[in-house]
Amino acid sequence: MTLQLPAGGTFVGRAWRPDIGPAVVVRRGDHLVDITSSKVPTMQALLELDDPAGFANGAEGPVLGALQDVAKPSADGLRLMAPCDLQPVKACGVTFVSSMLERVIEEQAKGDPARAEAIRERCAAILGESLRAVQPGSEKAGQLKEVLIADGVWSQYLEVGIGPYAEVFSKAQPMSAVGFGAEVGLHPVSTWNNPEPEIVLACDSTGRVRGATLGNDVNLRDVEGRSALLLGKAKDNNASCAVGPMLRLFDDSYGIDDVRQAELTLTVTGEDGYVLNGRSSMSQISRDPLDLVSQTFGAHHQYPDGFFLMLGTLFAPTEDRDHPGEGFTHKLGDVVEISEPSLGLLRNTVRLSTECAPWVFGTSALMRNLAGRGLL
């Protein structure tokens, strides 16, 4: 297993140091440097600075080792963690047309993958390409809504897909996301599920976007398909949110326009030799990333520790893995790789949430650890 990052850019993250605890780190060449200090004890503190990239590039600290030293994580060794710490992970759903249609199909199928293909064909026959040119919240979107209601295919997913308000939900609690190389978890009740490759924005307490990374919004299609009120069970489980490998800070070399043009690729490799390839192109997103940030943060909702925001995905697998008409679902042992040229590669292995390492190091544990190290 290798850790892949582009040669340029300012990359920061978090690493677990054996017998010490979590450290804020920066990539310097092919090595990781620990820049944890009383000024920057956490990633949250780094992102609150006026110039996080400038600070990270100039900060001194011990060299922890080569980047590839953290590419083989172990329970008691040096390893990369998710780059977020005190920030909750929020997520936006139904931000791409094709994935929006798949949410409609899940809802109509009531979580039964065997019914999905027939419903998919019916929705395509009714909707065709009509949704692709629609601006969410526009007058045209409102007119289309009336037509779809008359045709009997209106859905709560179409409401957030072309209506004025985006879907923004809580994906992971602070400190609960997993990082590069970790296992990602599926709730044992699910038999129809998939990865969701996404860009993740890192925002500070004032809503400023400070950088971007990759994420896997592990999704239980059958659970959410039964009822949208089961979204919490479908989305937020032990190890069900992966973020990484590191956070690329905005600087002169990388910014929000690069996010808007990002091209993500996905590969799922099964222990049975099965390979699934997918992609997600941010140029096809129906809501601008900064619009999604403003719908998450503002006078209506504050985040005093900042937040990480998943922007949604174009990817919605429909090819059959085992049985005709039932589409794709994970098998235990699947290796999921999400990559983007400017952000690197996030790699995780699929297990049951009940079999992944339990989440035991929370916010209170972090505070005790930092206080014991004299960093608070």
Side-chain angles (χ1 to χ4, degrees):
M1 186 191 311
T2 59
L3 180 60
Q4 299 177 24
L5 293 172
T10 304
F11 283 87
V12 296
R14 298 172 63 241
W16 182 267
R17 297 186 62 182
D19 301 321
I20 294 178
V24 180
V25 296
V26 62
R27 189 273 302 271
R28 295 260 172 82
D30 294 328
H31 291 78
L32 284 181
V33 175
D34 183 351
I35 60 171
T36 314
S37 67
S38 58
K39 185 173 184 178
V40 180
T42 62
M43 180 62 69
Q44 183 271 341
L46 175 63
L47 299 184
E48 290 295 317
L49 300 178
D50 290 335
D51 182 12
F55 179 89
N57 286 320
E60 300 291 336
V63 176
L64 300 185
L67 283 172
Q68 300 313 320
D69 291 345
V70 297
K72 299 177 181 179
S74 62
D76 57 356
L78 178 69
R79 68 184 188 277
L80 274 183
M81 307 168 70
C84 43
D85 45 35
L86 298 181
Q87 307 93 336
V89 180
K90 307 292 287 188
C92 298
V94 202
T95 53
F96 291 81
V97 170
S98 63
S99 61
M100 174 174 65
L101 294 181
E102 285 302 310
R103 298 293 86 78
V104 175
I105 291 163
E106 289 167 13
E107 181 182 44
Q108 296 293 319
K110 307 300 183 186
D112 182 359
R115 299 176 55 196
E117 186 59 31
I119 297 170
R120 186 176 294 110
E121 292 177 357
R122 177 173 176 267
C123 286
I126 294 173
L127 301 176
E129 298 293 314
S130 61
L131 292 177
R132 295 191 181 277
V134 175
Q135 179 67 33
S138 67
E139 181 179 353
K140 184 177 180 180
Q143 295 171 349
L144 179 59
K145 176 179 178 178
E146 297 304 318
V147 171
L148 294 173
I149 290 175
D151 284 337
V153 294
W154 184 252
S155 161
Q156 58 201 339
Y157 295 104
L158 289 169
E159 177 67 45
V160 295
I162 65 175
Y165 306 117
E167 178 190 17
V168 182
F169 60 91
S170 293
K171 173 62 183 179
Q173 304 303 310
M175 304 291 294
S176 69
V178 299
F180 174 87
E183 296 177 340
V184 289
L186 303 172
H187 196 293
V189 303
S190 176
T191 58
W192 187 23
N193 42 69
N194 63 267
E196 293 193 349
E198 307 190 14
I199 295 287
V200 186
L201 299 182
C203 302
D204 69 8
S205 62
T206 67
R208 293 179 296 180
V209 182
R210 312 317 302 267
T213 185
L214 299 172
N216 183 359
D217 177 12
V218 180
N219 181 42
L220 310 183
R221 301 188 70 177
D222 48 356
V223 174
E224 184 178 353
R226 293 184 197 122
S227 170
L229 298 182
L230 293 174
L231 184 64
K233 183 176 286 295
K235 293 290 189 179
D236 186 6
N237 299 294
N238 183 44
S240 66
C241 177
V243 182
M246 299 184 75
L247 174 67
R248 183 165 186 174
L249 295 176
F250 283 4
D251 56 18
D252 292 340
S253 70
Y254 185 80
I256 194 65
D257 285 337
D258 297 287
V259 170
R260 293 183 174 113
Q261 298 302 316
E263 297 285 337
L264 288 78
T265 57
L266 167 79
T267 302
V268 178
T269 305
E271 293 181 337
D272 55 359
Y274 173 86
V275 177
L276 172 72
N277 294 302
R279 56 181 291 275
S280 184
S281 176
M282 286 295 294
S283 65
Q284 297 186 41
I285 197 168
S286 57
R287 299 181 192 269
D288 186 75
L290 293 185
D291 175 47
L292 295 173
V293 171
S294 69
Q295 294 215 32
T296 305
F297 172 91
H300 65 287
H301 200 314
Q302 297 77 47
Y303 293 86
D305 293 315
F307 58 98
F308 275 47
L309 181 64
M310 291 184 155
L311 299 180
T313 185
L314 174 67
F315 175 72
T318 59
E319 69 175 61
D320 297 327
R321 182 168 190 175
D322 289 319
H323 305 292
E326 293 195 3
F328 169 87
T329 195
H330 269 307
K331 291 186 178 182
L332 301 184
D334 281 352
V335 174
V336 180
E337 294 183 331
I338 298 169
S339 62
E340 203 282 327
S342 297
L343 298 175
L345 182 144
L346 175 63
R347 187 180 194 271
N348 301 97
T349 302
V350 175
R351 305 292 182 201
L352 294 178
S353 288
T354 49
E355 296 176 353
C356 294
W359 175 33
V360 296
F361 195 89
T363 303
S364 60
L366 174 64
M367 294 299 104
R368 289 193 298 270
N369 176 274
L370 294 175
R373 292 157 60 186
L375 296 172
L376 294 182

